[in-house]
Amino acid sequence: MLTYFSDTSTHIGTLAFDVNTDETRAGFAGDDMPRTTFPSVVCTGVRSRESDGEEWAVLEDGDSHLSSQSLGRIAAHPLRSGHGEAIDDAVLRGLLQHGLRRLGESTWHEHPLLLSESTGSSAAARRGAAELVFEDIGAPALCVCHAAELICVSAGRPTATVLELNDDAATASIVVDGALQARSVLASPQLGGQQLASTFAHYISPLTGPLVPSCEGRGVTCADSFLAYRTSALRRELCDSLCRCTESAPKAVARGRGRGRVVVDLSLPSERPEYTLPDGRKIEVPDQHGAQACENLFASPVALAAVGGAPLQPLQSMVLSAIASLEPDTHKELLRSVIVTGSVACLPGVPERLEQELAAAARASPVATIAQQAHRLTIFIGSTHERKNGAWLGASILGSLGSHHDLWMSRSEYDEYGPPLINRKGMQYAW
């Protein structure tokens, strides 16, 4: 597993980390799947055995070291906002250290780190990550890549259009010759998994009543911040279990005001899947409600304005806008390589519906080079495993290539040039 070496040292066992909004995935470069996955949620108030200071700890099921005193502050979904804000150093350090322990390792000194960052994140955020890795945790080398770049690596496409349907936002971007084109990045939090789950919970609220998350078996009390996190997690669990998208355009429109003004397919079969809530109640949710929530991903800007309060681009428009931001001579190749990943893309029917909507929107595009090449549209969906772990798989592949030394920043380079050098590393050329 020789994964990184320089003129003066050789290191075995590069660690790949994908720190996403909902989950953090960690493992050794070269593996086919992450060895550990845990929620990207941390809390303060944990007393260190070695000192009297407070530490950040990962909040997850089965963590025996958490107690009621550890709920002094909970940072739920503190990462990957999609708008370039820097990640809190203490939060990132807590997640990295927890992942290292779960991988069965005790120190970073033998393990270079390949870290994914949010597509469109700022240069300041990357510099902050470099300072943390070299000054605090002490890794011998670091490579930071945008999530979209790593997704292209996992799909084997140096140039592609990437649509990430993550928990915090939907993000469309363009990667050319392995490097992200910053001007192409479009992010919409209103089309992320959290918003989708909230909308679905609103639709089924007459059936569920107040949601009561379970706090049993965690050794903690339901403080307000913890209860808010558990409520959000329960909404996502409901959405993942019960939501499904129609594979064709809706045939009817649900009239009404506010969130009720959403196009919905009334021809769905009248199936009513049963679901057991944490408080023991069993509910039956018609398929129509799940389809109604998913329609917000593809609805017209007018319908989306009724839901979110402002005109928004649906997913198909975001993809075409990202493509249109680049030169016309690239449109043909970008339409032939559209990669869809993320947790929302794992919902039944979403990739198939996106392909249909994107093909129709491309044919009707006012951009001539897009409309003329609409027949070449090809969407790479992949398996559920590839959609959910696309960025980590790319990090695993890239970290196992011993030939790409220029992507990495070593400790000696950090000592000589400082944190700004990290912004000249990474995917600056075709891999």
Side-chain angles (χ1 to χ4, degrees), residues 138-170:
L142 172 67
C143 179
V144 184
C145 296
H146 293 289
E149 297 169 341
L150 296 175
I151 290 167
C152 286
V153 173
S154 67
R157 295 277 170 172
T159 297
T161 305
V162 181
L163 179 62
E164 302 171 65
L165 304 180
N166 291 324
D167 193 63
D168 60 335

Side-chain angles (χ1 to χ4, degrees), residues 174 319-328 331 334 365 367 369-370:
I174 304 297
V319 172
L320 296 183
S321 295
I323 294 175
S325 68
L326 268 69
E327 292 73 17
H331 294 173
L334 295 176
S365 173
V367 181
T369 50
I370 293 180

Side-chain angles (χ1 to χ4, degrees), residues 202-222:
H202 171 78
Y203 289 149
I204 66 174
S205 57
L207 300 172
T208 63
L211 295 176
V212 183
S214 174
C215 300
E216 298 178 359
R218 294 179 176 80
V220 296
T221 58
C222 273

Side-chain angles (χ1 to χ4, degrees), residues 91-327:
V91 174
L92 182 58
R93 179 182 182 276
L95 295 174
L96 291 177
Q97 294 288 54
H98 185 75
L100 183 71
R101 289 193 296 268
R102 291 195 57 148
L103 290 173
E105 302 293 333
S106 59
T107 177
W108 287 94
H109 298 306
E110 296 294 329
H111 300 289
L113 172 63
L114 201 154
L115 181 66
S116 75
E117 64 177 354
S118 173
T119 298
S121 62
S122 64
R126 184 173 287 200
R127 289 196 300 271
E131 292 178 1
L132 171 68
V133 168
F134 289 112
E135 298 288 351
D136 194 347
I137 68 176
L142 172 67
C143 179
V144 184
C145 296
H146 293 289
E149 297 169 341
L150 296 175
I151 290 167
C152 286
V153 173
S154 67
R157 295 277 170 172
T159 297
T161 305
V162 181
L163 179 62
E164 302 171 65
L165 304 180
N166 291 324
D167 193 63
D168 60 335
T171 305
S173 59
I174 304 297
V175 175
V176 176
D177 291 337
L180 177 72
Q181 306 301 297
R183 67 183 184 275
S184 70
V185 178
L186 296 173
S188 176
Q190 293 83 354
L191 300 181
Q194 292 182 35
Q195 182 61 44
L196 178 64
S198 178
T199 301
F200 179 63
H202 171 78
Y203 289 149
I204 66 174
S205 57
L207 300 172
T208 63
L211 295 176
V212 183
S214 174
C215 300
E216 298 178 359
R218 294 179 176 80
V220 296
T221 58
C222 273
D224 290 342
S225 54
F226 178 64
L227 183 60
Y229 159 66
R230 291 302 305 167
T231 302
S232 175
L234 177 56
R235 288 175 177 173
R236 281 308 310 271
E237 185 178 339
L238 281 166
C239 182
D240 293 343
S241 300
L242 301 175
C243 272
R244 58 176 257 187
C245 185
T246 59
E247 296 184 10
S248 59
K251 299 177 181 179
V253 178
R255 303 296 182 181
R257 294 183 178 182
R259 292 189 175 184
R261 289 190 60 196
V262 179
V263 285
V264 55
D265 191 345
L266 298 181
S267 63
L268 280 172
S270 56
E271 297 180 6
R272 301 175 69 90
E274 188 176 76
Y275 186 86
T276 302
L277 294 172
D279 58 4
R281 289 179 295 146
K282 293 184 178 181
I283 59 173
E284 293 182 349
V285 180
D287 282 343
Q288 181 177 335
H289 290 303
Q292 186 177 4
C294 289
E295 282 302 322
N296 292 334
L297 301 174
F298 311 102
S300 67
V302 174
L304 287 174
V307 175
L312 302 169
Q313 291 190 82
L315 293 180
Q316 62 271 22
S317 296
M318 289 179 60
V319 172
L320 296 183
S321 295
I323 294 175
S325 68
L326 268 69
E327 292 73 17

